[in-house]
Every structure is written in C-alpha cells, then in structure tokens.
C-alpha cells in the first residue's frame, strides 16, 4: 500500500544525522565499552519523591482520562511560574499541557501554519525540527546562525527570508550550540516578527540551564505576548524525560484552538504524570538548580581542559547540557571526525552536521556522563583532534600536551 507523501517525506530523505549514535549503540550491544556523549539526557533518574507522588496519585485513582488542556492545578502552577519568571501576566487559560515539548512543537506549528506556509527555523537546529515542521504541513526554511557570529542568529539574515513566512522557530538556550541568545538578538527578532506579522515559536525547554547571563523569554518583549507560542517541558529541568510532560504558553484564543487539536490527537496527558509534574514544579528553583548543577560543573571542567590547548575551539558555552567544539583545524568534517573518534577511542559524539550545515566542522558533546569519565573523554577527544590537525598540516603536533 502506498503511504502518504507526508509521512514518507517526514525526514526529508538522506541521513537522519544519527549514524554515529546508531553505530555506537551497535558497538555497545556487541559488548564494547563506549563513552556516549551523544544524547541529551541526564545521567541521573527522576527523583524518588516525584515518583512517589506519581505512585500515590495513580493509587488514589487518577488513572482515568484527565482534562484535555491539562489539570487545573498543573496549568495554574505552570502559569504562575511563567508569570514569576517573565513578568508577563499568565493564567491557566494561557497554558496547554502536552505529552512533552516535542508534541508541543508539532502542535504550535499546526496552530501557526496552514499547509504549504513557510515556517522559518534557525540552523544549527535540534535534529527533529525540519521533520516536525514538515509533519505539520509547513515548508521548513532554514536560516543560518554562523559560527563567525558565535551562532547568534542575525535579524538581517532572517529578514531576508521572512516575507510571507507564517512562523519563526527559535531555541534559547540552544541545542546543539549551548549558546544563549542575547537581549539584542531577541529584541531584533521580536521587532521582525511584528513587522512581518509572523508567529514566534520559542522553544525554551532548557530555560533552567543558563550558565552565563539570564534567560530572556521573548514573550516578555513589547507586543510579543500576542504572537508568541512558548514551548516548555519537564524533561530537562526536572530530569523527567520519560514522563512526557510539556506545555505551550500562548494567547488564550490560540490555547482554546490548541485544546481542540489535543482532543483530536493526544487526548491529554495522564493525570498521575501531571500530578507528579505539579509536585515537581512546586519544589522551586533550588531543586531545578540541583538538576542543572552537574552540567554547570562539567562545563567548568571542560573550559579548563579546552583552554590548555589551541587546536579545538569552544563555542561560548552559556547554557543547556551541551558543548559545541570547533574542530575545523583538523580539516575533517564533524561526521568524519566523529566516526574516526568512535573507531579509535570508543568515544561517541554527535557531528555538527547532524544539526545542520551551519555547524559543519563542529562536534556536539553532551555533558551527560560522570565528571571523571567526561573529563577523560574530552581530553582524549582533544588529543585526537591535535593529532589529526598535525597530520592535516603535514607535520606532527608540537607542544599541545594536555594536563
Ligand atoms: N526542544 C529541544 C531543543 C530539545 O533538545 C528537546 C529534546 N532533546 C525537545 C525540544 C523535546 O523534548 P521533550 O519532548 O522531551 O520535552
């Protein structure tokens, strides 16, 4: 039977960017020892008190259909947290609870784009973005944020593609670059969205993982609350990736329509997951800082190790659980280097190219293994890059032994 073009064309054909990851998993399945710095998932599990709450809620009977837009308690808790963090008046009517940020990204584009509409997004991008936009019926168009500009998107580059576009998707703190968009970048993007009458879809799933500066939600900028759909999630902030609980924040009218969409697609999120999420959010900022702490600590370790050599560059590591390394001095693509590193040292990292052409010649390192193993793998990666760079330059490397 013929399948629809919509589903067969979802990934756009070609490599899905996960080849190194797949190879690493095959090696692990075959019993080999591989240090995996690939996937964006904590090396801790969901905290026991959150699981106890989930258990109690389920035992207490919250196992039937839950209210489709989300429970009143969770919508209220999310709204109060967003209002406190951004200063934008936000009530439960502005919140739809979704099965994770991924479902929220899809729903937000259904809300913003008609079939065939252009949906802009920034390259480098989180790997699912183009497929999500295509799946929602939109025509994805990438706009490069350049390494030369420290991966901050430039409003002029977006403006050049914005005529007639229905939406722009941004992500700060950013996966894969670890960059946090500055006030000026966001103000210019906001002004452009107003001028071009575009929706801004703001993926803020890493908003509790900011190492330098502060997180600025563009929904709080002038005239933006009415045209911004914020995507949030429990996954990264509370180490609840498997619970599949996220949300969309937006104007009440948009949330009403998105609730209709949820009725016809997901039919909501399990009540016991929502109760556990409400409890988790009530633990406050100190708990969120505890979840983020290992990444902050490993970033400091990495900055020290990287500063001791001059072959590999570190993109400003301002937030999220990733580092982006510039390995262009090796003369290799990110993908060739990542396969080489995996084969030689059994260390798995993501090639920059998996996240778009703007990240070519880079590697994304997830800071998601224990500190010792992380530091050792990073040192080996840098030594490997120095060796390859030396070969590339036609001579052996001199004097960049690592501490
Ligand atoms: N956005 C970004 C930028 C991500 O990195 C991820 C997950 N890695 C998601 C959205 C989706 O996360 P979830 O569905 O677990 O909330």
């Amino acid at each position: 039977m013929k399948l629809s073009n919509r589903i067969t064309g979802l990934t756009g054909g070609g490599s899905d960017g996960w080849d190194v990851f797949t190879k690493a998993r095959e090696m692990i399945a075959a019993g080999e020892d591989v240090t995996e710095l690939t996937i964006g998932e904590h090396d801790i599990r969901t905290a026991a008190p959150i699981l106890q709450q989930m258990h109690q809620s389920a035992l207490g009977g919250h196992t039937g259909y839950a209210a489709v837009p989300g429970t009143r308690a969770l919508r209220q808790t999310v709204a109060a947290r967003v209002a406190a963090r951004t200063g934008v008046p936000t009530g439960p009517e502005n919140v739809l609870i979704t099965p994770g940020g991924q479902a929220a990204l899809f729903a937000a584009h259904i809300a913003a784009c008609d079939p065939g509409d252009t949906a802009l997004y920034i390259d480098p991008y989180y790997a699912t973005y183009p497929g999500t936009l295509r799946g929602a019926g939109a025509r994805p168009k990438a706009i490069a944020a350049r390494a030369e500009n420290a991966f901050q998107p430039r409003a002029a580059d977006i403006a050049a593609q914005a005529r007639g576009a229905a939406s722009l998707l941004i992500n700060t703190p950013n996966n894969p670059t670890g960059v946090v968009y500055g006030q000026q970048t966001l103000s210019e993007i906001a002004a452009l969205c107003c001028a071009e009458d575009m929706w801004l879809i703001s993926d803020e799933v890493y908003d509790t993982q900011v190492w330098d500066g502060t997180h600025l939600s563009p929904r709080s900028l002038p005239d933006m609350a009415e045209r911004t759909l914020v995507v949030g999630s429990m996954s990264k902030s509370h180490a609840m990736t498997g619970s599949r609980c996220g949300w969309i924040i937006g104007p009440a009218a948009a949330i009403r329509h998105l609730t209709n969409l949820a009725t016809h697609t997901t039919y909501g999120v399990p009540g016991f997951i929502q109760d556990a999420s409400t409890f988790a959010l009530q633990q406050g900022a100190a708990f969120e800082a505890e979840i983020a702490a290992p990444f902050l600590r490993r970033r400091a370790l990495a900055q020290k190790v990287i500063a001791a050599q001059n072959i590999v560059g570190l993109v400003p590591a301002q937030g999220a659980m990733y580092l982006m390394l510039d390995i262009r001095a090796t003369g290799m693509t990110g993908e060739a280097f990542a396969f080489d590193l995996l084969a030689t040292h059994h260390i798995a990292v993501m090639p920059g190219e998996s996240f778009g052409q703007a990240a070519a010649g880079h590697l994304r390192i997830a800071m998601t293994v224990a500190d010792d193993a992380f530091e050792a793998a990073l040192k080996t990666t840098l030594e490997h890059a120095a060796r390859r760079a030396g070969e590339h330059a036609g001579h052996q490397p001199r004097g960049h032994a690592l501490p």
Side-chain angles (χ1 to χ4, degrees):
M1 273 305 286
K2 183 188 176 300
L3 288 161
S4 73
N5 293 331
R6 178 179 265 193
I7 198 161
T8 56
L10 199 70
T11 57
S15 155
D16 64 358
W18 290 90
D19 299 346
V20 177
F21 173 76
T22 308
K23 174 79 187 146
R25 284 287 156 104
E26 281 167 12
M27 288 167 69
I28 292 166
E32 294 184 58
D33 193 14
V34 175
T35 306
E36 262 198 293
L37 306 175
T38 45
I39 206 160
E41 189 159 40
H42 319 69
D43 47 323
I44 53 161
R45 303 285 84 187
T46 304
I50 299 176
L51 298 178
Q52 273 149 8
Q53 191 68 33
M54 204 180 280
H55 186 214
Q56 255 172 33
S57 166
L59 286 178
H62 213 168
T63 53
Y65 292 125
V68 171
T71 63
R72 184 93 193 153
L74 182 55
R75 292 173 88 199
Q76 234 149 18
T77 305
V78 170
R81 179 168 174 270
V82 166
R85 288 170 69 92
T86 65
V88 186
T90 307
E93 69 282 4
N94 299 115
V95 180
L96 172 76
I97 304 301
T98 63
Q102 187 61 52
L105 282 165
F106 182 75
H109 282 89
I110 296 261
C113 301
D114 274 316
D117 277 353
T118 298
L120 306 178
Y121 66 107
I122 308 293
D123 172 1
Y125 50 84
Y126 171 48
T128 65
Y129 279 3
T132 302
L133 275 46
R134 265 193 293 273
R139 282 193 302 130
K141 191 186 268 188
I143 293 156
R146 294 170 205 292
E148 293 67 43
N149 201 34
F151 290 112
Q152 296 274 333
R154 291 187 342 175
D157 294 337
I158 303 171
Q161 307 289 335
R163 192 48 36 97
S167 63
L168 167 66
L169 169 60
I170 64 169
N171 169 223
T172 178
N174 188 265
N175 176 12
T177 62
V179 161
V180 171
Y181 293 177
Q183 159 98 43
Q184 194 189 339
T185 298
L186 289 171
S187 294
E188 288 177 10
I189 286 175
L192 182 64
C193 288
C194 293
E196 296 290 343
D197 200 21
M198 282 190 297
W199 282 97
L200 182 64
I201 299 173
S202 180
D203 180 342
E204 303 181 21
V205 303
Y206 294 100
D207 67 346
T208 60
Q209 298 178 2
V210 179
W211 324 130
D212 285 340
T214 48
H215 173 68
L216 172 63
S217 175
R219 179 169 174 263
S220 66
L221 295 172
D223 303 323
M224 287 307 288
E226 69 201 57
R227 61 174 64 254
T228 305
L229 299 173
V230 175
V231 170
S233 173
M234 298 302 291
S235 288
K236 313 294 178 174
S237 55
H238 292 77
M240 289 179 69
T241 47
S243 289
R244 314 309 304 133
C245 189
W247 52 80
I248 302 179
I249 315 280
I255 296 299
R256 274 198 304 278
H257 286 288
L258 280 159
T259 303
N260 285 337
L261 177 68
T263 300
H264 293 86
T265 52
T266 61
Y267 216 83
V269 173
F272 51 90
I273 298 285
Q274 295 195 62
D275 289 347
S277 299
T278 306
F279 170 82
L281 287 170
Q282 285 164 351
Q283 304 314 300
F287 179 74
E288 293 165 14
E290 222 177 278
I291 300 295
F295 308 122
L296 179 59
R297 208 171 57 228
R298 291 168 197 160
R299 178 193 83 136
L301 279 175
Q303 284 175 322
K304 207 166 120 218
V305 171
I306 293 167
Q309 53 83 64
N310 58 9
I311 299 292
V312 173
L314 175 63
V315 171
Q318 299 160 318
M321 50 177 78
Y322 314 100
L323 302 174
M324 189 65 116
L325 301 186
D326 179 351
I327 51 123
R328 286 176 290 180
T330 64
M332 298 171 82
T333 64
E335 188 169 23
F337 186 90
F339 271 120
D340 185 27
L341 183 69
L342 181 61
T344 315
H345 294 293
H346 290 197
I347 296 169
V349 300
M350 291 297 287
E353 293 85 1
S354 296
F355 309 99
Q357 277 314 302
H362 288 71
L363 304 175
R364 189 194 78 171
I365 311 272
M367 298 186 279
T368 48
V369 297
D371 296 18
D372 287 358
F374 174 71
E375 191 173 356
L378 185 62
K379 282 182 179 170
T380 304
T381 302
L382 297 180
E383 282 160 4
H384 192 68
R387 206 168 305 118
R388 291 291 181 252
E391 288 159 10
H392 178 58
H395 58 79
Q396 290 305 308
R398 295 162 301 185
H400 19 252
L402 292 161

